[in-house]
Amino acid sequence: MRAREISSLALDSYQRAARVALSNHLVTATYPDRIALPLLRRWATELREDLLELFGYRFEVTETTARLFPVIDRLDDSQPARTPSERVFDRRRYAYLALALAALGRAGNQITLSELADHVATESSQVDGVELTTDRASDRDAFVDAIGWLATRGAISLADGDATGWANNPTAGEALYDIDRSVVVAMFRPPRAVQHLRSIRGLLAGSDAPLDPEDPDLGHSDSARDTDPKEVLRAVRRALVEHPVVYLDDLDGDARTALTASRTVADVELLTGLVAERRAEGVALIDTSGRLSDHRFPSTGTIAQVALLIAGEISDRVVDPDAPALTTYPLPASDLLVEQLDDAIPGGGIFGDLADFGFPADPRTVENSAERTQYPLIEDSWLVSIVDDLVDRFGRTFAAQWQTDRDGLRIRAIALLHRLRLIHSVSGGVLVLPVIARYRDVMVSVRDRVPQDSLFGTEQAPSTDPSEVEA
């Protein structure tokens, strides 16, 4: 491992580079910032060797891009694409993004927004369930969101005009973009030709041949990846950096042994500079730098603070000896998302109606096996009452939009806890996962701003800000 050969004075720089590579699989001259690419280029040789040795990841660096090719062990729906305003991409935005990227690959050095929209509209008309009509404002907004995602990562850069003006009025507004072909080429590099896949499992680790969803042996074939001790170690290390917490219940026997070995976690700590927190249920890497985690928690802002308060309330409810016992269920089967995606694979080269993904499964429909770990179920009705209580107590400190939208506040806060693997959202409620116990006994203090005299000699009313709620 090359990290062991780096001097203590330079190790912090190397660890920062490793965190940037692991948290941004594509780095360009401007994304995620202008210092990231030079940092990765400095440590390219060492990173290439360590990322391959520890995780099995391939790392390519050019003058204009750095691209990490991760190995996916299981599907993860907790890291969707988002708009600059943190709105999660829906199926329409994903479709526009894919079609726009394909159009850019065939374009020249520049393209106008309306020309790109025409290309996407033509292609989308051939796909059932997807269309782009520039006369419709919602379609234009979704298209601009997809284009903005590409522009943020440097695939295109605005040369003239304004995308917002086009979105408001396509007959009066226009935008011209320069195309960075090296970024476009680096952006979409699937491990296999997706048009040949018959199951999404073909993109996961251990797959070396097209898989047929009707094959009775699907998902049960052994491979060298499953039996090679080095690959088991790599899979465990991948889980440590890809997920907020790795539970022992998520792993089989060999992987559990690998996770409990001190060397496994120590190597990841040395590479990333993160600190491992071990508990009886599993291991979490604590990112005090904020450069690897896609979500800081605890954090400022209404959503994060309400999520923290909900976590404390859930923890207290689970251990409350005076409350009725909670019903327990196992986690839903992990292949439900695989089945949903497989149902949307094109037949005859054309997509059918695109499925909506991400709807939680009902734990009561999952067979309760004594061999599977059971988790307490907190029902939605209880969560509604808790959020109502929090709004009544602390609502004056919340952002204005959430003071009247209690359902939206609850949904966003619960989604954050789900992404952090503190809970698992299911139909009718949430299953409580063990690591949430670290947020028991949340203490809250509310600080009001000190009133000041106005220019006219009258006193201003106290005001509060979400960041002033301390937990």
Side-chain angles (χ1 to χ4, degrees), residues 10 12 23 52 116 182 256 282 291 293 306 347 376 397 417 458:
D12 179 68
S23 57
L52 181 62
L116 184 54
S182 63
R256 289 187 182 188
R291 292 302 300 267
S293 302
V306 170
T397 70
L417 295 176
T458 58

Side-chain angles (χ1 to χ4, degrees), residues 397-414:
T397 70
F398 296 169
Q401 71 179 102
W402 302 120
Q403 294 180 14
T404 56
D405 186 8
R406 299 186 178 191
D407 287 340
L409 178 61
R410 171 177 51 84
I411 292 171
R412 291 285 295 274
I414 291 300

Side-chain angles (χ1 to χ4, degrees), residues 102-150:
L104 291 174
R106 298 188 298 266
N109 295 324
Q110 288 186 322
I111 192 169
T112 63
L113 188 59
S114 58
E115 182 183 1
L116 184 54
D118 289 340
H119 283 298
V120 172
T122 300
E123 297 296 332
S124 64
S125 65
Q126 304 179 45
V127 183
D128 293 338
V130 179
E131 64 177 353
L132 171 59
T133 303
T134 55
D135 293 336
R136 193 158 48 210
S138 60
D139 282 7
R140 295 197 303 271
D141 289 341
F143 177 69
V144 169
D145 283 341
I147 298 307
W149 191 93
L150 293 169

Side-chain angles (χ1 to χ4, degrees), residues 160-349:
D160 192 19
D162 178 22
T164 302
W166 180 88
N168 292 333
N169 186 354
T171 61
E174 184 59 281
L176 176 66
Y177 288 95
D178 293 325
I179 301 173
D180 190 323
R181 193 151 306 282
S182 63
V183 177
V184 171
V185 170
M187 187 167 284
F188 183 65
R189 299 278 296 278
R192 300 180 53 204
V194 293
Q195 64 266 34
H196 297 157
L197 294 179
R198 303 182 67 182
S199 170
I200 199 67
R201 287 183 176 90
L203 296 176
L204 302 181
S207 174
D208 54 5
L211 296 175
D212 185 347
E214 299 180 358
D215 186 346
D217 295 326
L218 179 63
H220 300 287
S221 60
D222 293 330
S223 66
R225 186 181 298 273
D226 300 321
T227 57
D228 186 347
K230 290 184 179 180
E231 293 300 334
V232 173
L233 284 172
R234 285 175 171 173
V236 171
R237 296 190 196 105
R238 290 195 291 265
L240 285 169
V241 296
E242 293 292 343
H243 304 289
V245 58
V246 179
Y247 291 106
L248 289 172
D249 289 335
D250 294 339
L251 309 175
D252 59 21
D254 291 340
R256 289 187 182 188
T257 301
L259 182 63
T260 56
S262 59
R263 176 69 176 273
T264 303
V265 179
D267 286 344
V268 180
E269 288 180 302
L270 178 60
L271 176 70
T272 62
L274 273 57
V275 178
E277 180 178 298
R278 290 183 177 273
R279 292 177 177 261
E281 299 84 5
V283 177
L285 289 179
I286 307 303
D287 179 20
T288 58
S289 71
R291 292 302 300 267
L292 182 59
S293 302
D294 53 349
H295 292 284
R296 294 183 65 88
F297 191 78
S299 182
T300 58
T302 300
I303 298 299
Q305 291 172 347
V306 170
L308 179 62
L309 294 172
I310 293 175
E313 295 287 348
I314 290 176
S315 299
D316 292 340
R317 172 62 183 88
V318 170
V319 298
D320 187 352
D322 299 323
L326 296 171
T327 306
T328 61
Y329 297 95
L331 292 176
S334 60
D335 59 354
L336 291 176
L337 182 57
V338 171
E339 294 175 0
Q340 288 178 308
L341 289 169
D342 283 351
D343 287 342
I345 287 180

Side-chain angles (χ1 to χ4, degrees), residues 36-164:
L37 185 59
L39 180 64
L40 295 184
R41 285 173 56 81
R42 174 188 176 186
W43 295 106
T45 301
E46 293 84 355
L47 284 173
R48 189 178 297 111
E49 295 183 20
D50 281 353
L51 291 171
L52 181 62
E53 177 185 343
L54 294 185
F55 309 108
Y57 292 167
R58 184 162 53 90
F59 187 58
E60 294 182 359
V61 179
T62 68
E63 292 185 359
T64 56
T65 63
R67 184 71 163 91
L68 183 71
F69 296 89
V71 177
I72 307 301
D73 295 283
R74 64 181 182 185
L75 297 182
D76 181 8
D77 62 353
S78 66
Q79 301 180 47
R82 297 176 181 276
T83 68
S85 61
E86 287 297 303
R87 181 170 52 184
V88 174
F89 268 38
D90 55 15
R91 66 183 187 182
R92 176 170 51 176
R93 285 169 172 80
Y94 277 123
Y96 293 166
L97 176 60
L99 294 173
L101 190 59
L104 291 174
R106 298 188 298 266
N109 295 324
Q110 288 186 322
I111 192 169
T112 63
L113 188 59
S114 58
E115 182 183 1
L116 184 54
D118 289 340
H119 283 298
V120 172
T122 300
E123 297 296 332
S124 64
S125 65
Q126 304 179 45
V127 183
D128 293 338
V130 179
E131 64 177 353
L132 171 59
T133 303
T134 55
D135 293 336
R136 193 158 48 210
S138 60
D139 282 7
R140 295 197 303 271
D141 289 341
F143 177 69
V144 169
D145 283 341
I147 298 307
W149 191 93
L150 293 169
T152 298
R153 285 151 182 80
I156 54 177
S157 57
L158 187 65
D160 192 19
D162 178 22
T164 302

Side-chain angles (χ1 to χ4, degrees), residues 426-438:
V426 294
S427 177
V430 299
L431 296 178
V432 184
L433 302 182
V435 78
I436 202 173
R438 76 194 311 265

Side-chain angles (χ1 to χ4, degrees), residues 417-428:
L417 295 176
H418 175 86
R419 289 196 297 271
L420 295 169
R421 298 208 73 196
L422 302 179
I423 60 174
H424 188 91
S425 296
V426 294
S427 177

Side-chain angles (χ1 to χ4, degrees), residues 4-58:
R4 299 192 186 95
E5 304 171 5
I6 297 174
S7 69
S8 57
L9 295 177
L11 184 59
D12 179 68
S13 174
Y14 181 62
Q15 290 172 336
R16 283 190 287 114
R19 292 193 296 266
V20 169
L22 288 168
S23 57
N24 302 280
H25 296 171
L26 174 65
V27 174
T28 65
T30 58
Y31 182 81
D33 51 50
R34 294 188 178 276
I35 65 174
L37 185 59
L39 180 64
L40 295 184
R41 285 173 56 81
R42 174 188 176 186
W43 295 106
T45 301
E46 293 84 355
L47 284 173
R48 189 178 297 111
E49 295 183 20
D50 281 353
L51 291 171
L52 181 62
E53 177 185 343
L54 294 185
F55 309 108
Y57 292 167
R58 184 162 53 90

